[in-house]
Structure formats: structure tokens, C-alpha cells
Amino acid sequence: MPRTTTPAPWEDLVTSALLGTDRRPAEGDGGPAGLLDAAALHTVRRRAGLLPASAAPRPEPAPADPRPPLPSAARRRLAQLLADRSAAGGSGGRRGAAPDLTELIPQWLATANQHGFRAPAALLPPLLDAARSRTDLRPQALAFAGPRGLWLAGLNPEWKFALRGSSGGSSLPDVTAPEAVTRLWEEGLFAERVALLGAVRAHDPRAALALLATTWPTERAEDRLMFLDSLRTGLSTVDEAFLEQALSDRSRNVRSTAAELLSALPESAFAGRMAARATSCVSPDLSGDEASVAVEAPHECDAAMERDGVVAAPPSGRGERSWWFGQLVEAAPLATWPARFGGRTAQEVVTLPVADGWAEELHAAWCRAAVRQRDPEWARALLGAPSVPPSSGPGTASLAERSKLLAILPAAERGGWVADFIAAHGLSEAFQLLGVCPTPWSEPLGRSVVDALDIARDAGSYPWSFSGVMGLAERCLNPAEADRLEVLTTTPDEPENASPGANGYWSEAFQRLVSTLRLRATMERELTPAREEPIPA
């Protein structure tokens, strides 16, 4: 009989490979070739000894998606956009004159969703990969992916993000069937429960609150916060009693959110309490030649104030009294102040002088109140005229706060205000303001942006100082402006004292802008459903 030997353990072979066969001879001392032979033999033995695993059950078939398919040109365009996203990852440096395709994906998805198209099945994996790496794409990408996208996400742990913001692809029960609603509420995944609460709330707000109350004491703090935040949609006086109870929640974040929601209900008891506290701190002063505002900040933060959401401990570097004062004014209904100041309008109130250096604190609190209460009259008053420098405006010099105030105004008014602001102050402080303007930009706004860019080019400054605005222009300018901008793609002579080579960069930037606008116009045509030709009589 042939002699049999026991092969060396796999760990010994690995050690020999790492140390070298000179220092650690392999099995049979056949040198490097013997080591490889032994490894090959060991691999065959291991594979031959494997037993077949039990077959896993087949997944359920993907649900049907009744939406119409994409036109063929749009399908090819989506494949190009997603492929460019994968190829472009991390490439820096000079952008060149070609459009940045990755920045056009959100706009393409929004247009496709407006037309109600179905995502091609073969492109669902790269679409979900894109949404995984870019959170800004997720809402539009998941809407476009539809039920098949959610089905596919359930099969790949890397796409589990898609299941967090949806009902996991499962259909919600009839909201008028209490047993089915209760079963899903008590047994469903968190995303399913959030979706269910929204559906019940849309049908019957009181029933939704009653459903939430059944498990509220046993919910985790982060889940209570998410459920409470979902009440923003359709917030009304029906929610007041539940929110009042939430003011005593053991979680500070829950208490703060409940207070914020209650302050958006001007007729609530909470708003009345805050108005009484705020008016005790802010009053008209008629002792001088002209009316002014007197401020007496609170001297303590009592238990009742803390229960109503006032945070007692200020941030580092902030005084206690000013911190408490800002919170009280922010939570008080804005309708309190015209009555407090003799029937003056919001614009008249904010222009009153404020005593003892409290103007900045008071106006900042009014700005936060206007944003919280979505009050366009106060937002307009606090913004002031766009020609006024931000540092001397009636409200706040903070561009972040001003952009929040702008977002409250009607869309057409927003664009006109920012156009006038750019005409008066240029582009250096306009980036955040442009971000809240409706797209595509109106003609006056688009013209003001392009004119300001042209002025910067003529001054000889480098274009990357305005790269953020140029990027917005590529995405937000009306594509019909492309032909009018063609003249700016040439390279003019550099003015005296200009930065070397700046005009060449500007020419390249405007070429990219024009080519991007034309590509956007083409994408829009590709996504427009073909009109049916009339049948000849």
C-alpha cells in the first residue's frame, strides 16, 4: 500500500510563506516550489471536503411599478450621469470647460419625478449607490427608485438607509381599520410606524394623537423626538394638549421641541405665558422726545420657565440674563408687539431705537420668532430694504439669519429682493441668499448675478473667488440664457494690475456655464414626454 502522510497545517504553510523557506522549510523541504505544491494540495482538499449549504429561500418577487418607463434618450443620460459620478470621485484641480455631470443628478431626478417616470431596473444599483454616498440625493433618488428600489435595498445591507425613511416597501393598512393599525403600530419597524402615524394624522389628527399616546411612555427618547417632530406637518390647536404634556418629558430635547411647536400656535396657553413674560421685559419708553424700546431682562430662570422650555444654563461666553431674555422673546407670538407699542406696524416697531445696547439681542430674537412662526410681515420688516448694508439694517447682519427670513417671503419677492441686494452690494455676501431663491432664477435675478460676475471679470480678480456663485448659476440660471451669455466666453485683454491669467480662467468658467445650461436644456427635452401626433381625419 502507498504510504500516506498527514499534510502540514495551513497555519504552518502561511508561516513558511511569510518567513521564507530558507528560514522555515515547508512540508517535504521542497523549497518554494514545494511550498506552492503543498498549498495547492491543501486548497483542493479543503474544497473537496466542503458540504453544500442548504439553499436559502428565494426572495419574494419585486413589486410592480405602474409608472411609465423613461424615454430611451433620458435612460442613456441617466446612465451617463451615474457612470460619471463613479469615475469622478475625488478628482480635484481645475474643472475645465466641461459641465460637472455629478452636480446635475439632483436636477435630473427632480425633473424625472415631476413627469412620473419609472427608474430602469438595470440602473437601480448605481442609483442606490449614488444615494448612499450623497444624502442630498436620497429623497429624490428613493422617490424615483420606487417600490422596486426599496425591494432591492432590502436585499443589500449597504442600502439599508433606504428603508429608514420609508415603510420598508410594505403597504400601510387602511387607516380606518383599527385592528390593523394597532397591530402595525405595536409590531412594525420604526420607519413603518412613522409612516403609519403620518397616514393616520392626515385622515384624523385626533386619532393619530391617541395612537401615539398608547405607547408614548415606553418609547425611547430619540423615537419620542422623531414622533414629536412629525407633528410639524399639519400642526394645529388639536395638538396643544399633547404638546403641553410633552413639556414635562424626561428628555430635554423633547421638551425643547414641544415648546418650539407650541410657540408656533399663537392662541395656545403656552404662547400666552411666553407673551406675558416677554412683555414684562420689553416695553415702550415715552419719556424722551421720541418713542423708544426699554428692556429689562429677567433676573432669574424659575421652574415654570424651565418647564416651558427655557434652558437655564447659557452657552460659554453668554450672559445668563441675555440668554433667558432671547428665549422668551423668541417664543412670544409676534402679534404681541404691535399692541404693546400702540398699534405700530411690524416695520415701525423694528425701527424704534432700543435702550441700553439691547437692540442686537432683541432683533435677533424677533428674527428667530419670525422664522419659527413663518410670519412674512415681520420677515420683511426685519430684512429691511435690500439697498441697506447688512451691518446697519433693521434686523440682523447675519447672512444665515437673513437667508432664513428670506425663505418665508413669497417666491417672486425673494428673487427680486436678492437681485436688488446684489445690485447694491455685489456677490461677496450673496451666496447664502441665492440658495433660498426659487429655481430657475427669475430674469431680473439671473441678470443681476451675471452682471456682477462680468464686473468681477473686468476687475481682473480670480474666478475661484466666486466659484460657489458660479456653481449655483450653472444649476439655477434659466437655460434660455445660454445664447445671451455666449459673448462672455471669449478671452478679453487683461486690464492693468489684473491677476495674471485671470481672464483665461474667467473665459473657461463662462464656457462651462454656457455648456451646462445647454446640457440642462437638452436633459429637459429628453425627459419631456413625447406629444401624441393627432390622427389624420
Side-chain angles (χ1 to χ4, degrees):
M1 295 179 60
R3 184 169 58 89
T4 60
T5 60
T6 302
W10 178 257
E11 291 77 9
D12 291 349
L13 297 179
V14 172
T15 302
S16 297
L18 291 174
L19 297 179
T21 54
D22 292 339
R23 298 176 59 189
R24 179 71 178 268
E27 179 184 8
D29 195 19
L35 173 64
L36 295 176
D37 289 342
L41 178 62
H42 204 293
T43 300
V44 171
R45 290 180 65 254
R46 292 178 66 184
R47 289 178 178 174
L50 288 177
L51 296 176
S54 301
R58 286 188 175 185
E60 293 293 326
D65 191 339
R67 295 176 296 177
L70 278 172
S72 57
R75 188 184 187 283
R76 290 192 296 270
R77 180 72 62 192
L78 176 60
Q80 178 191 17
L81 295 176
L82 295 174
D84 187 82
R85 183 202 71 82
S86 301
S91 62
R94 190 165 174 170
R95 290 179 58 193
D100 185 349
L101 299 187
T102 61
E103 292 304 316
L104 296 179
I105 297 177
Q107 195 167 75
W108 189 97
L109 289 171
T111 306
N113 285 332
Q114 287 173 5
H115 291 301
F117 286 121
R118 175 177 79 233
L123 294 180
L124 285 174
L127 180 64
L128 290 171
D129 280 338
R132 177 169 63 95
S133 60
R134 284 182 59 178
T135 56
D136 63 309
L137 290 181
R138 290 182 182 177
Q140 295 284 6
L142 294 180
F144 183 57
R148 290 182 175 178
L150 292 178
W151 172 85
L152 191 61
L155 302 177
N156 185 347
E158 291 188 353
W159 299 329
K160 62 183 178 182
F161 70 88
L163 305 179
R164 297 192 193 112
S166 70
S167 59
S170 63
S171 58
L172 295 176
D174 183 350
V175 296
T176 61
E179 291 184 1
V181 168
T182 301
R183 186 182 309 110
L184 182 59
W185 179 252
E186 294 178 349
E187 301 175 4
L189 300 174
F190 180 71
E192 293 174 323
R193 299 176 71 212
V194 171
L196 177 64
L197 184 65
V200 175
R201 184 170 173 80
H203 175 73
D204 185 348
R206 295 184 186 277
L209 291 175
L211 183 67
L212 182 56
T214 60
T215 58
W216 181 261
T218 59
E219 302 285 358
R220 299 183 305 168
E222 54 267 35
D223 291 349
R224 294 199 306 276
L225 184 62
M226 291 292 290
F227 285 134
L228 202 62
D229 197 62
S230 70
L231 301 185
R232 295 181 189 276
T233 302
L235 183 69
S236 71
T237 55
V238 171
D239 304 308
E240 181 179 356
F242 185 86
L243 293 173
E244 276 284 347
Q245 293 179 0
L247 289 174
S248 302
D249 195 90
R250 55 187 180 274
S251 165
R252 191 178 78 174
N253 289 334
V254 172
R255 295 196 302 271
S256 297
T257 301
E260 180 185 346
L261 293 174
L262 282 167
S263 69
L265 297 173
E267 303 301 323
S268 65
F270 171 90
R273 295 193 298 269
M274 284 301 191
R277 292 175 179 129
T279 53
S280 70
C281 299
V282 181
S283 58
D285 184 356
L286 305 176
S287 59
D289 295 334
E290 60 177 356
S292 63
V293 181
V295 173
E296 180 65 28
H299 291 272
E300 65 172 345
C301 180
D302 57 31
M305 288 169 59
E306 288 196 62
R307 182 189 179 276
D308 281 345
V310 177
V311 179
S316 177
R318 184 78 179 273
E320 285 184 334
R321 296 183 66 198
S322 65
W323 171 245
W324 301 332
F325 170 76
Q327 293 179 79
L328 296 181
V329 174
E330 176 183 356
L334 289 166
T336 302
W337 305 113
R340 182 66 165 159
F341 288 92
R344 287 179 171 85
T345 64
Q347 185 172 358
E348 292 169 338
V349 170
V350 300
T351 56
L352 290 174
V354 183
D356 302 325
W358 282 97
E360 183 177 351
E361 190 71 51
L362 177 61
H363 289 172
W366 276 339
C367 287
R368 295 193 299 272
V371 172
R372 181 183 289 191
Q373 298 172 38
R374 312 295 299 174
D375 191 310
E377 181 186 1
W378 276 84
R380 200 174 290 117
L382 291 161
L383 281 168
S387 58
V388 176
S391 58
S392 57
T396 173
S398 165
L399 290 174
E401 291 292 338
R402 291 164 79 84
S403 65
K404 293 177 183 177
L405 292 171
L406 265 175
I408 301 170
L409 301 181
E413 187 176 353
R414 260 179 275 163
W417 196 96
V418 177
D420 292 341
F421 180 92
I422 293 172
H425 310 295
L427 285 171
S428 59
E429 296 183 320
F431 179 73
Q432 291 187 69
L433 305 180
L434 286 167
V436 300
C437 293
T439 56
W441 288 339
S442 63
E443 183 179 353
L445 177 56
R447 190 187 312 115
S448 70
V449 171
V450 173
D451 289 347
L453 290 171
D454 196 17
I455 292 171
R457 180 186 70 160
D458 290 343
S461 58
Y462 273 122
W464 51 70
S465 303
F466 304 92
S467 59
V469 174
M470 187 66 79
L472 278 177
E474 292 172 13
R475 299 189 296 274
C476 303
L477 268 177
N478 193 321
E481 298 288 319
D483 292 340
R484 188 173 68 85
L485 297 175
E486 186 72 45
V487 67
L488 299 177
T489 62
T490 59
T491 306
D493 296 332
E494 291 186 355
E496 189 177 351
N497 300 323
S499 301
N503 276 0
Y505 279 92
W506 273 111
S507 174
E508 186 178 89
F510 279 115
Q511 289 174 32
R512 183 171 61 250
L513 174 59
V514 171
S515 61
T516 301
L517 294 179
R518 287 177 173 157
L519 177 57
R520 284 175 50 207
T522 301
M523 287 166 43
E524 177 68 37
R525 288 194 298 271
E526 292 171 347
L527 283 165
T528 301
R531 296 181 179 178
E532 295 183 2
E533 295 295 330
I535 300 176

